[in-house]
Structures are given as C-alpha cells and as structure tokens.
Amino acid sequence: MLVVSEYESDARVRRQAEALVERGDEVTVVALHAPGRPEVEMVDGVRVVHLPTRKYRGDSSMSYIKLYGGFAARAAARFARWPRRFDVVQAHSMPEALVFSAAVQRAFRVPVVLDVHDLTSELFSSKFEDKAALMKAIRLSERMSFRFANEVLTVHEPYADMLRKLTRTRVTTVMNCPDDRYFTARPWRGWEPDGEVVFGYHGLIAPRHGLVQVAEALAAVQLDAPKAKLKVWGSGDGIEGLSRRVSELGLTDSVQLPERALPINEMTEELKKIHIGVLASQLDPWTAGVLPNKLMEYAVMGIPVITFRNPVIERYFPDDAVTYVDPASPENLREAMLRLIRDPEKARAQADRAHEVMRGRTWRDQRQHYYDVIDRMAARRRG
C-alpha cells in the first residue's frame, strides 16, 4: 500500500491492512514520516515503511504539490527495487496520481488498485478556487489515474456513481465504516437540562469544518446553559485559529483543545465522555460530497449528532436520525444545541434511530467487499 499520511492515525488504511493480516496476508505500507518512529517497523502485524517526507496542512498549493510529488518520487524509487515482490499494489488518494508510483509493477502485470478516499480536485477547488490552470491539471491527472488502475475503490455510492462517469475501470464501494473492534454501542449517557452537557468533535481540524462557529455558538448557549462544554480532538491547520477564537470568547475553561493525536483505542475511550457530537462543516466543493466517518462513529456508539447537511449525508441519515443545521452558522448551531440540551429524550430517540441506520454498515460487514477486490486482483496476478 501507498499512502500520503501517517499510517498510525489513518483509520481506513489501518482497517484494510490489519484485515488482510488477520486472514494471513503479508502487508507492507509505505507512508509518511512519523515523528519518533523508526524508518521500518511492524505495527499490529503490518510492515510499515516511513519515507522521509513530512505532512503538510496549510494554504500553499505549491507546498501540497511538493508534498505529493516528493512522496510519489520516493515511493516510486522504493518500489522500483521490488518489481515482482507483491501480488497487488494499492494506492490511497489523495492524490490519485500516486498510482503511477507503481508503474514498474504495472509493467510487470502486477495489478494496481486505487482507493479514492477524497478527490484531490474537490479539496483543491475548496482551497485554491482562483487557480484555473492548476485545477485543469489536477482533473486531468485524476482521469489518467482512474484509467491506469486495474480497479478503483471508493467510500460511498454517490462517489462511485460519479467515478463511473469518469472511467471505464471497475469501481467498487467499500464504505468508510467504523471499526467494530473499537467503535461499539455504549450505554446511554443522559443528562439533566440544567446540568453539564459535553459536546464533542474529533478528526481533522480545518477552517472549513466550522469549529470556530461551534465555539461562537457555545458562547451563546452558555447564556442559557452555563454548564455546556466542548471537547475537541485531532490535528490540522485550524487549531491556531480555533484556539485564538476560544480565548477571545473567554471559553478557555469550557473548551478542551487537543494536545496530541490519539490512537484509535484511546479515542473511543475519550468519546465515551461526551453527550453530543457536533459536525459543523461549511459547504464547499469538498464538504458537499463527503460522508464523515466521525458521523458514523457517533451513530454506532449511540451518541446523538448535530450535523451540517449535504446530499450524501441525507442519503444515509433521515431527519429523525440526526439534528441538521443548514447552514451550520453560529445561530443555527446555538438553536440546535439548546434544543437537544433541553430535550434529552429526543436526543436519545435520534441516537437510537442513527444506530439503526448503521446496521450492516460497520467494518465487519464491509471488509468482505474489500477482500473480494483484493482476491480478484490477486487471482488476476496469478493468471
């Protein structure tokens, strides 16, 4: 596998790699540098190779291009040493062009799978909408990548439908579902409307995910519910702005900000301490097409959720399963937060309904679809 992320904190990549190891396959993952970790190590049975390329999150398109290009070049050089070693090579987007790092393997008829988590063009268009030439090049590289791969995976059916219009390559959906080993139903954690109520968010912290708006909503909520709090876990280029706004609003005693990235098993223990999950992403070309994994994790655990609305989320979660804010403005968030604080039974009913939505949509159910793709590719290699 190839992935431009830190393997230890990439839930989808880890789920897939560990599922293969669990059934007896040998898996090597080539990933980004991870601070404090050796170049090569075994992580839960998976051989992980850390290339000397570091993560970047920010607003510089050139820095992203250097990150992706530098990693792809190093990965291609590393893979060139192993022309026939693997039965299947899987590249995880972003970027889609990472599949070309396996050009040597492809020339030797080793099947190449492209797993599209998110489209690079959607991320870049949300960040760099004024760079038409760059966007044209990215969309061209996406189409070429789809055609280069022997098969394409993606995270939900709306994405699969879109990708099928861009390529004749077979596209299979393996949903980005919670891992049953870690995310399981918890006992209902109720609250008193006039007592402490803890809202939570975990994952990528970026301006488009609306955590500043959540902080502003919390400040207004505390006028009516002074014991309301917010806990945030994750990393990203939005932490500085969020921290600054929390300080400006005088919420430093009410908002817990992340101190370090947590492994999955620790994260699930932390999530048991919250009452309500909040997803307040601002709609842009990227967030308009996502089905947040954290939303499904809250649903599996039985945590009621306040979420922004997009067509993909609506496809899976009806109005009685979540509390929608459309758009996720501070005013709408305040109203939704107070509504659930005052009516814990309604929140519990929504959590129960969301848990029903997730039946058959956990990793235990989805991994067989993944096995089918890998086995199909391995059979092609043997053939």
Side-chain angles (χ1 to χ4, degrees):
M1 294 187 186
L2 293 161
V3 59
V4 188
S5 73
E6 295 173 353
Y7 171 76
E8 292 73 18
S9 59
D10 194 311
R12 181 173 175 87
V13 179
R14 287 197 66 164
R15 279 196 300 271
Q16 293 179 357
E18 291 171 12
L20 293 174
V21 167
E22 183 180 334
R23 70 171 192 174
D25 296 345
E26 295 180 14
V27 182
T28 295
V29 178
V30 178
L32 285 179
H33 168 81
R37 290 189 174 271
E39 179 185 354
V40 181
E41 64 176 330
M42 297 297 294
V43 180
D44 294 328
V46 179
R47 182 172 181 262
V48 182
V49 179
H50 298 287
L51 297 185
T53 305
R54 296 178 182 271
K55 181 188 298 184
Y56 171 78
R57 284 179 177 149
D59 296 321
S60 168
S61 59
M62 185 55 63
S63 293
Y64 274 108
I65 291 170
K66 288 180 179 178
L67 166 66
Y68 293 153
F71 181 88
R74 291 187 175 101
R78 180 68 67 109
F79 264 53
R81 306 177 195 172
W82 308 321
R84 295 178 181 271
R85 177 173 173 177
F86 301 105
D87 297 302
V88 182
V89 175
Q90 179 178 350
H92 292 267
S93 75
M94 300 177 288
E96 295 73 24
L98 192 58
V99 292
F100 295 112
S101 296
V104 172
Q105 281 71 25
R106 190 74 165 81
F108 281 96
R109 299 190 178 184
V110 175
V112 177
V113 177
L114 172 59
D115 192 343
V116 180
H117 303 195
D118 302 293
L119 284 170
T120 308
S121 59
E122 292 186 348
L123 173 65
F124 271 54
S125 61
S126 70
K127 280 180 166 283
F128 314 115
E129 57 186 352
D130 57 335
K131 299 191 177 184
L134 174 63
M135 293 308 306
K136 184 176 180 179
I138 288 172
R139 291 192 175 97
L140 176 61
S141 74
E142 284 177 347
R143 290 174 182 256
M144 292 174 64
S145 301
F146 300 148
R147 294 170 184 172
F148 179 84
N150 295 103
E151 187 156 338
V152 175
L153 297 180
T154 195
V155 294
H156 54 66
E157 274 303 306
Y159 252 5
D161 292 341
M162 176 176 59
L163 295 178
R164 290 180 185 118
K165 296 175 182 177
L166 301 176
T167 181
R168 295 180 181 178
T169 306
R170 182 170 181 166
V171 179
T172 300
T173 297
V174 177
M175 288 187 70
N176 203 17
C177 289
D179 192 330
D180 316 65
R181 295 173 300 171
Y182 306 111
F183 294 94
T184 57
R186 66 169 197 182
W188 171 249
R189 187 160 191 254
W191 61 86
E192 296 296 328
D194 59 351
E196 180 179 274
V197 180
V198 181
F199 295 87
Y201 172 93
H202 69 289
L204 176 62
I205 301 171
R208 64 179 172 275
H209 290 312
L211 288 168
V212 166
Q213 285 84 346
V214 175
E216 292 171 348
L218 180 69
V221 163
Q222 287 188 339
L223 298 176
D224 297 286
K227 295 182 180 179
K229 294 184 178 181
L230 172 66
K231 293 180 181 288
V232 180
W233 300 272
S235 62
D237 60 356
I239 291 180
E240 183 178 347
L242 174 61
S243 178
R244 183 168 58 249
R245 190 63 178 131
V246 165
S247 179
E248 292 169 352
L249 293 166
L251 294 174
T252 52
D253 292 334
S254 302
V255 178
Q256 172 191 292
L257 296 175
E259 298 178 354
R260 63 184 178 91
L262 295 179
I264 294 173
N265 60 323
E266 290 185 35
M267 179 62 71
T268 52
E269 289 302 310
E270 290 297 317
L271 291 179
K272 292 177 181 178
K273 301 174 184 178
I274 71 171
H275 296 100
I276 301 168
V278 184
L279 307 179
S281 294
Q282 311 298 293
L283 284 182
D284 62 23
W286 189 62
T287 58
V290 300
L291 178 61
N293 196 40
K294 59 184 71 66
L295 168 57
M296 294 188 284
E297 291 167 351
Y298 295 143
V300 165
M301 294 184 71
I303 298 171
V305 184
I306 297 169
T307 179
F308 70 104
R309 187 191 298 269
N310 73 20
V312 183
I313 297 175
E314 280 188 301
R315 177 167 175 165
Y316 291 96
F317 288 88
D319 286 352
D320 63 347
V322 296
T323 296
Y324 280 112
V325 282
D326 186 19
S329 64
E331 295 76 20
N332 289 344
L333 286 164
R334 171 192 172 276
E335 180 182 342
M337 293 163 77
L338 282 174
R339 193 159 62 243
L340 291 188
I341 288 174
R342 291 165 176 165
D343 194 348
E345 286 307 309
K346 178 180 180 179
R348 183 172 188 170
Q350 287 186 344
D352 290 343
R353 180 71 179 94
H355 187 74
E356 290 177 14
V357 168
M358 291 304 297
R359 292 187 189 278
R361 292 181 174 137
T362 60
W363 178 238
R364 185 177 304 166
D365 305 294
Q366 289 292 309
R367 68 179 179 178
Q368 187 57 52
H369 301 308
Y370 178 64
Y371 286 153
D372 291 344
V373 173
I374 298 302
D375 291 344
R376 187 161 55 244
M377 293 297 98
R380 180 175 184 147
R381 167 79 161 116
R382 290 191 296 268

